Amino acid sequence: MNGVLLSYIIPLYNTEHYILRCLQSVVNQGLNPDEYEVIVVDDGSTDGGLALVQSFAAVHPQVRLVCQRNAGVSAARNAALDMAQGRYVQFVDSDDYLAENTVQPLLKRAIDESLDVLEFNYDCVDTAGNAIPHVRDDNYPSTVAMTGVKYLSDHSMTPYVWRFLVRREFLIQGGWRFNTSLVVCEDGALIADFMLNASRVAHDSAIPYCYVNRGDSAMHNPDRDHLQRRIFSQIDAAVSIDRSMSAYQAASGTQAPSSVAGVRNVYLYFSMTKALTCGLVDEAVDRMRQAGLFPFPCVGPEANYHGAKWKVIHRLMMHPRLWAFLSKIYRLIKK
């Protein structure tokens, strides 16, 4: 392997307790220093994370640090994409980390098979690195290369961009970037675009990525305006996926795989769930109606959601007055 083969893209925002573990895991992948680069984009951090990265970069020249005013994770990832030089890119969140010596064989496979996209499995862990059972059973066996549409017909569409190696030139040619207006669910909107257009996609059963489940995420912020922005972002991401599906149908004359609609419906479902818990049902329904996405189909097996429970909840959600009444009851109980 010669040249810059892989660009790791790491957005940084107030994760001083995790960033060194993340960076150390990235450089412990068995690649020669001239074969990869690590682009860390500090998104206006206010803790000590920036200083830690500066110290790490001083002894690891393959680490490049870029600073910007706080503009969100999408803007940080886009800035890194614009300066990346690797043949492939891998997105890593700064509070997560990689299992040692797991990326090199994945990169070799992606290059040898001329893949546009290589998806892999992951472990969910707590902050100490202890395994947590997956909520979704979507760790798949390895596959041969196929089109993205065929892949999505056989598998659920993952909404996590850190589960992929993606050929950088493929992203450039498609003009795909993260939507900076989305504060959550920006991954799914981008993934729908590049997966529906990929010619060569494969899955590898390796488990290189450790997703850290933290209890202090931004979704726990109780501020009403903050919650409304996040709910609206979930809805807007669903709108973006719906547009990608429509564009694919217009170009191909066939419907997009149901797994793509599954992610769209999951976003809408959880928007309604969160709206119930914080008293924003009317606002959420109005947002969906304006986009032509209410009523929306029941989330089901195409998104790895099984059982009668989802059908019952969906029926309730499709009656906004009843859902708003349940919201009032819920919030009274929680007081």
Side-chain angles (χ1 to χ4, degrees):
M1 295 185 182
N2 297 307
V4 180
L5 302 177
L6 179 60
S7 297
Y8 293 102
I9 291 177
I10 305 176
L12 174 70
Y13 182 73
N14 290 352
T15 52
E16 64 176 332
H17 299 300
Y18 307 96
I19 184 58
L20 285 183
R21 177 175 64 179
C22 175
L23 289 173
Q24 194 62 58
S25 76
V26 165
V27 302
N28 287 342
Q29 293 302 320
L31 293 169
N32 295 327
D34 60 348
E35 291 180 327
Y36 71 100
E37 62 181 355
V38 184
I39 305 174
V40 181
V41 180
D42 178 68
D43 187 39
S45 294
T46 57
D47 65 358
L50 175 59
L52 292 174
V53 176
Q54 289 172 328
S55 298
F56 192 90
V59 294
H60 295 87
Q62 65 271 46
V63 178
R64 303 164 62 189
L65 175 62
V66 180
C67 297
Q68 66 178 33
R69 292 183 179 180
N70 180 250
V73 64
S74 292
R77 287 171 171 165
N78 287 343
L81 274 173
D82 289 339
M83 64 185 68
Q85 300 177 20
R87 195 180 306 182
Y88 285 83
V89 296
Q90 181 176 3
F91 299 94
V92 183
D93 287 350
S94 58
D95 49 355
D96 298 336
Y97 60 95
L98 303 174
E100 189 172 354
N101 292 321
T102 54
V103 171
Q104 186 182 37
L106 293 173
L107 179 61
K108 185 178 186 303
R109 180 183 178 189
I111 292 172
D112 289 348
E113 299 183 22
S114 300
L115 298 177
D116 294 325
V117 181
L118 178 61
E119 187 182 21
F120 42 77
N121 294 332
Y122 72 101
D123 275 335
C124 187
V125 300
D126 62 21
T127 55
N130 301 309
I132 300 173
H134 284 212
V135 176
R136 288 162 49 110
D137 181 21
D138 54 2
N139 274 5
Y140 300 116
S142 296
T143 70
V144 298
M146 62 189 78
T147 66
V149 171
K150 170 61 176 171
Y151 185 87
L152 292 173
S153 298
D154 296 340
H155 303 82
S156 296
M157 188 183 101
T158 182
Y160 312 124
V161 75
W162 39 257
R163 285 195 69 174
F164 301 96
L165 290 178
V166 186
R167 188 166 59 86
R168 185 172 63 88
E169 189 64 26
F170 168 63
L171 289 176
I172 292 173
Q173 291 173 348
W176 297 304
R177 287 294 187 269
F178 292 94
N179 185 339
T180 56
S181 69
L182 301 178
V183 296
V184 294
C185 301
E186 68 285 340
D187 289 23
L190 177 68
I191 291 166
D193 277 335
F194 70 66
M195 287 294 283
L196 285 173
N197 289 277
S199 297
R200 293 183 61 78
V201 176
H203 189 92
D204 198 286
S205 61
I207 308 176
Y209 200 92
C210 297
Y211 168 75
V212 178
N213 191 337
R214 294 165 52 192
D216 58 346
S217 70
M219 201 61 179
H220 292 87
N221 189 322
D223 178 74
R224 182 181 173 90
D225 289 341
H226 173 86
L227 290 171
Q228 179 168 300
R229 285 195 299 273
R230 297 181 76 84
I231 290 169
F232 281 5
S233 182
Q234 284 184 317
I235 295 169
D236 292 348
V239 172
S240 178
I241 292 174
D242 192 70
R243 288 173 179 166
S244 297
M245 294 169 59
S246 297
Y248 171 79
Q249 183 170 349
S252 67
T254 59
Q255 288 190 336
S258 61
S259 63
V260 185
V263 174
R264 178 199 62 190
N265 298 343
V266 166
Y267 285 171
L268 296 172
Y269 169 85
F270 280 107
S271 298
M272 286 290 282
T273 301
K274 197 64 182 178
L276 179 145
T277 62
C278 61
L280 289 166
V281 172
D282 291 341
E283 291 84 348
V285 171
D286 286 346
R287 189 83 166 190
M288 292 179 194
R289 279 183 169 148
Q290 289 171 15
L293 291 181
F294 190 91
F296 57 87
C298 182
V299 61
E302 76 285 349
N304 276 343
Y305 285 76
H306 304 270
K309 173 179 74 172
W310 308 108
K311 294 181 180 179
V312 172
I313 295 175
H314 177 257
R315 284 183 176 273
L316 295 174
M317 285 180 174
M318 293 304 101
H319 297 277
R321 290 184 180 179
L322 176 58
W323 198 245
F325 174 75
L326 293 174
S327 175
K328 292 179 181 179
I329 299 299
Y330 175 88
R331 286 178 290 120
L332 284 172
I333 293 173
K334 285 294 181 178
K335 281 186 177 180

